Amino acid sequence: MPPDIVEVEWAGQPVRIETQWIGPAEAGQPLLVFLHEGLGSISMWREFPVQLCQAVGARGLVFSRRGYGRSTPPATGERWRPDYMHDEAQIALPAVFDALGIDTLAHPVTVIGHSDGGSIALLFAAMFPQRVRAVVAIAPHIMVEDLSIRSITKAREAFIAGDLKQGLARHHDDPEATFLRWNAIWLAPEFRSWSIRSEEHTSELQSRQYLV
């Protein structure tokens, strides 16, 4: 099915969220929820969600988080706080489920996240373990590593002087705002101490997650 736009409440304001369903709704069919990386979107997943859902016989939900893809772009000069991934897990993801009428208490979901999305998936499972059937975390961030900072610094150079901006423009309504908001928080000194290692329910989470 092609992407659709739903309206979600965020900080007291309505925002557009680009969503895409995979497969027909059938009673009892498991639901896989895909959370993209720091510069990702629905389109950047390409065929992976469809192929995975078909392979395991599940329904899928893919969406572009606020500020990504065709969802509401970031406001000019908007900056994230260091705990932005916590906000995505605790506030934004439940709001998307509510807007789409997904009852994760009655039907726990499998959350599949890549990079930033992997961290958000782990945080969501730690905060709402009763709503999660399983987690697939692909290269999640558990803390800020020097390797990540070096890679993100190089990404900024590629965005300013290379063709990264042009490439992102194929996937985001406002590639500059999307990139700069993400890049700025990762390179901010106050973000270096960010970590999810001390989250509550860690032992329960570890027994439920699958790290790839």
Side-chain angles (χ1 to χ4, degrees):
M1 297 177 64
D4 196 8
I5 298 294
V6 299
E7 192 172 280
V8 174
E9 188 80 7
W10 175 266
Q13 298 293 328
V15 298
R16 304 188 315 273
I17 297 294
E18 179 188 32
T19 65
Q20 183 175 35
W21 287 102
I22 299 169
E26 296 179 6
Q29 190 177 29
L31 176 61
L32 310 184
V33 179
F34 295 83
L35 303 178
H36 60 73
E37 69 271 28
L39 293 176
S41 65
I42 286 179
S43 60
M44 290 184 74
W45 278 109
R46 301 187 188 280
E47 297 302 316
F48 174 71
V50 172
Q51 293 172 348
L52 180 59
C53 288
Q54 290 177 345
V56 302
R59 192 182 190 210
L61 170 65
V62 193
F63 70 95
S64 299
R65 300 199 304 275
R66 185 182 70 93
Y68 292 94
R70 310 308 169 201
S71 297
T72 298
T76 302
E78 178 182 339
R79 291 183 63 88
W80 266 328
R81 301 181 311 181
D83 61 351
Y84 76 94
M85 284 183 270
H86 290 71
D87 285 347
E88 291 287 343
Q90 188 171 22
I91 302 172
L93 186 52
V96 170
F97 289 149
D98 287 346
L100 294 173
I102 299 172
D103 186 348
T104 54
L105 276 175
H107 304 286
V109 296
T110 294
V111 189
I112 302 171
H114 176 215
S115 192
D116 278 24
S119 302
I120 295 166
L122 295 177
L123 286 165
F124 180 75
M127 295 170 179
F128 307 102
Q130 71 277 17
R131 298 177 181 272
V132 176
R133 182 180 183 184
V135 173
V136 180
I138 308 167
H141 306 292
I142 306 301
M143 59 182 182
V144 180
E145 301 176 273
D146 290 340
L147 176 61
S148 297
I149 297 301
R150 290 195 296 270
S151 297
I152 291 169
T153 300
K154 290 181 180 178
R156 184 177 182 85
E157 296 168 357
F159 186 84
I160 294 173
D163 58 2
L164 179 57
K165 182 176 181 179
Q166 181 179 356
L168 291 175
R170 295 194 294 268
H171 302 282
H172 305 288
D173 280 349
D174 191 337
E176 184 167 0
T178 296
F179 177 85
L180 292 178
R181 183 181 65 162
W182 168 82
N183 190 258
I185 187 58
W186 270 91
L187 298 183
E190 62 267 27
F191 192 65
R192 292 306 298 264
S193 60
W194 175 88
S195 171
I196 65 173
R197 289 177 295 182
S198 62
E199 291 302 313
E200 295 181 359
H201 312 303
T202 297
S203 60
E204 181 177 0
L205 173 60
Q206 289 174 341
S207 70
R208 299 166 69 90
Q209 74 184 27
Y210 302 88
L211 290 176
V212 178

